[in-house]
Amino acid sequence: MILKYTDSKDLESGICVDKKGKSIGKGIKDMQGFCQYKFEDNPSIRYRKNNEAKEWRCEMGIDKNVVCIWQNREPGLIAVKDKDADTWQCYHPRKQ
């Protein structure tokens, strides 16, 4: 099964076709609903599309501080966004 777009500018125009290009009559008409169905345990899931890159995805928010602690196995770390880039770094908070 392959996802094919009937309108190259509309990511929500996807239909499923077989290997020969014949429509099998299915597609995603409600992408937000699909994301909620696929990740039913996460109420904060949301659908995001990027027409320029011709992609869409289900996204959810995360607690970046928890990720820092988990990745480094070190309690008390905090996530700080880099001012010059769209990245995050893990730091120990300043002692006051």
Side-chain angles (χ1 to χ4, degrees):
M1 188 166 46
I2 301 167
L3 182 64
K4 181 179 179 181
Y5 296 103
T6 58
D7 179 348
S8 63
K9 295 179 182 174
D10 182 8
L11 288 175
E12 296 181 26
S13 69
I15 59 170
C16 297
V17 297
D18 62 17
K19 290 180 182 180
K20 295 180 180 179
K22 182 180 177 187
S23 173
I24 60 172
K26 295 182 180 182
I28 300 175
K29 295 183 182 358
D30 176 10
M31 290 185 178
Q32 179 62 35
F34 170 80
C35 289
Q36 290 170 332
Y37 169 78
K38 193 75 172 160
F39 301 96
E40 63 187 53
D41 293 337
N42 189 332
S44 68
I45 199 81
R46 66 183 183 275
Y47 153 67
R48 182 173 169 211
K49 68 179 177 177
N50 181 341
N51 281 324
E52 292 167 13
K54 295 198 184 290
E55 67 180 15
W56 64 271
R57 61 181 159 240
C58 300
E59 293 184 343
M60 64 184 130
I62 61 169
D63 184 328
K64 293 169 186 69
N65 293 333
V66 170
V67 172
C68 281
I69 293 166
W70 176 78
Q71 274 186 326
N72 295 285
R73 295 185 175 116
E74 194 171 337
L77 291 176
I78 59 170
V80 178
K81 189 172 190 300
D82 188 327
K83 295 175 190 173
D84 300 323
D86 194 23
T87 59
W88 294 81
Q89 300 293 325
C90 300
Y91 295 97
H92 288 282
R94 290 185 190 168
K95 293 184 181 180
Q96 303 207 4

